[in-house]
Amino acid sequence: MTGHEAVKAAAKDRRLVHDPRRVEGAGHGIPTRRYPLDGVSVSRHVLSADADDHARLRGLLRPFLTSDAVAQRAPAVRRSVDRALDRFAERGGGDLVADLALPVASEAVAQLLGLPLERTRELVGLSLRLSGPMHPDTPEMAAAATTMNKRLAAVVAHTRRHPGNNLTTALLAAYQEGGVSKNELLGSLSFVLFAAVDSTMTTIPSGVLHLLADTQREARRSLVDGTAQALSVLEDTIRLAAPFTHGVWRFASEPMSLGEYRVEVGDPVVLCFPAANVDPRVWPSAWEVRPDRSGPARHVSFGYGPHFCPGAELGRLQMRTALVELFRRFPDLRLAVDRGELACHANITRPFVTMPVLTDLATAANNTSHHR
Ligand code: HEM
């Protein structure tokens, strides 16, 4: 599904389910791991659950992601962004993926899960490998999955000894009270690592790329100056920077019609949020960031319906802080390579392998003469 209305209708249609085990013949015999985001389909967590199971698992996350909880994080997110940008200033540039989005997202998830940063970094590295483009049947992937399980078990043991006001402690308490299974406990931890980090590693670099266009000077200024349009600029940038490039999917639990398509029991249905976000019937000049779009929250970058992203406020906070500070500190920011040279992953969530940028004109000039 690619149209804006069609994607929204499918996202809230409860006949399309997430848990393939609930549908006889889901995928028609093709192992679910052949679908992209294998781990998301087969492990037990909020996004692979439906109905009561979904509500139960989602309820455990909610207290840690409310607007109030996220507002308290603002100073910590600002410190992460500042630290990353100090390094950009020292070196005259950096990589928006590895040197900005990755540390900012990793530090936020470390806080959310209540884990030491070093341990979180290792977990994030494993998570990125597991959600990466490598085929799920390779020995490297099997080894990464085994290591991930061992590390998550160690995280649970650590949290048992050092409980705190964090999501891991809450999940562990629910497990000890019989409210979640062991698979759900481990699945929830690994899914949060994936959901919080992969998405931010898409939205920050992609958002910057859109705003770097010459035509977006006003939009950049509005963000930095915090004008009345700044909020709309941010939302419209998030619209164009949506993750899950190739779509998320559900399985039909009964025969049904979706627009012009007939769908049979077990058919996978792919919802492409990024495509829905550039539907020309909803957004004229869809590929431009514009401050004057009516109804700023109509994009579906954070999904739609019962599985709407519970981390949306945290995602917005990270995105706003990163974009505002980047363009405030480095008004001459530019890509260090041509747009066409930006390497892309072939996987579902993170489009860019790297996005090198230069922070000032002097470095940019040196770099150009060096290349010549
Ligand atoms: C800008 C950053 C982010 C974007 C664009 C984003 C996007 C999305 C989207 C599109 C979905 C729906 C997937 C579907 O319907 O199949 C989703 C779900 C989810 N996201 Fe985010 N996300 C972001 C940040 C975060 C963060 C920081 C967290 C932190 C915990 C998070 C946690 C989740 C969870 C737990 C779900 C599953 C919800 C459910 O199944 O009910 N996300 N996200």
Side-chain angles (χ1 to χ4, degrees):
M1 314 304 295
T2 53
H4 183 247
E5 284 309 317
V7 163
K8 287 204 305 188
K12 67 174 189 198
D13 192 324
R14 293 188 186 261
R15 295 171 300 174
L16 294 174
V17 301
H18 287 240
D19 185 349
R21 298 172 315 166
R22 284 162 48 101
V23 182
E24 202 170 331
H28 308 294
I30 304 170
T32 44
R33 69 172 190 282
R34 300 279 173 189
Y35 293 109
L37 270 194
D38 156 47
V40 173
S41 288
V42 296
S43 75
R44 304 287 95 224
H45 51 73
V46 60
L47 190 62
S48 66
D50 299 289
D52 291 350
D53 285 340
H54 174 245
R56 176 172 55 85
L57 294 170
R58 195 171 160 107
L60 292 166
L61 301 176
R62 199 173 297 123
F64 299 94
L65 295 167
T66 58
S67 305
D68 283 353
V70 171
Q72 286 175 15
R73 295 259 164 77
V77 170
R78 176 67 195 269
R79 281 195 296 277
S80 300
V81 168
D82 284 350
R83 260 196 304 275
L85 296 188
D86 286 349
R87 284 194 294 272
F88 277 61
E90 280 161 25
R91 298 191 215 142
D95 175 8
L96 294 178
V97 178
D99 303 330
L100 179 62
L102 178 62
V104 168
S106 304
E107 286 167 30
V109 84
Q111 256 202 342
L112 184 65
L113 296 177
L115 300 178
L117 192 54
E118 268 316 305
R119 195 185 281 256
T120 310
R121 284 204 186 107
E122 189 194 4
L123 290 167
V124 166
L126 286 165
S127 170
L128 293 175
R129 208 171 316 153
L130 289 168
S131 66
M134 209 187 293
H135 193 284
D137 284 346
T138 55
E140 290 87 344
M141 286 292 255
T146 308
T147 313
M148 179 64 128
N149 280 336
K150 278 193 200 146
R151 297 294 181 270
L152 290 177
V155 160
V156 171
H158 168 90
T159 306
R160 219 184 277 270
R161 292 191 304 273
H162 307 282
N165 179 20
N166 56 55
L167 180 57
T168 314
T169 305
L171 287 166
L172 178 59
Y175 168 65
Q176 286 165 333
E177 288 157 15
V180 299
S181 67
K182 189 172 172 193
N183 281 348
E184 288 170 338
L185 167 64
L186 299 180
S188 298
L189 290 172
S190 78
F191 179 70
V192 166
L193 280 161
F194 159 76
V197 176
D198 266 59
S199 51
T200 308
M201 283 176 71
T202 302
T203 49
I204 291 180
S206 301
V208 174
L209 187 63
H210 282 287
L211 287 170
L212 276 177
D214 284 345
T215 48
Q216 303 293 347
R217 196 164 293 137
E218 272 308 307
R220 294 196 295 270
R221 189 168 307 145
S222 161
L223 269 183
V224 171
D225 294 347
T227 67
Q229 285 83 33
L231 203 60
S232 307
V233 168
L234 180 74
E235 280 307 313
D236 214 38
T237 307
I238 294 177
R239 172 179 69 82
L240 285 172
F244 305 112
T245 323
H246 303 290
V248 296
W249 60 96
R250 325 294 197 220
F251 297 96
S253 62
E254 56 183 81
M256 58 197 286
S257 293
L258 286 173
E260 64 195 277
Y261 300 105
R262 183 76 195 146
V263 175
E264 300 302 334
V265 174
D267 281 350
V269 174
V270 176
L271 318 185
C272 191
F273 294 129
N277 277 346
V278 290
D279 186 333
R281 289 165 293 189
V282 185
W283 289 280
S285 314
W287 290 100
E288 258 175 49
V289 173
R290 293 230 313 237
D292 56 353
R293 309 253 182 218
S294 59
R298 284 187 309 157
H299 67 68
V300 285
S301 293
F302 293 112
Y304 191 77
H307 291 268
F308 180 83
C309 177
E313 286 311 307
L314 182 55
R316 281 194 174 97
L317 171 68
Q318 292 173 338
M319 184 76 167
R320 185 176 62 242
T321 313
L323 295 183
V324 169
E325 291 309 309
L326 193 62
F327 289 118
R328 187 182 67 77
R329 288 180 64 166
F330 311 120
D332 295 319
L333 188 83
R334 58 206 56 232
L335 285 180
V337 296
D338 287 339
R339 262 167 201 251
E341 285 174 30
L342 287 171
C344 289
H345 283 295
N347 73 334
I348 169 166
T349 44
R350 310 184 295 278
F352 297 107
V353 180
T354 60
M355 194 179 291
V357 290
L358 302 170
T359 49
D360 56 61
L361 289 173
T363 332
N366 277 343
N367 197 60
T368 315
S369 57
H370 181 72
H371 278 303
R372 278 192 196 124

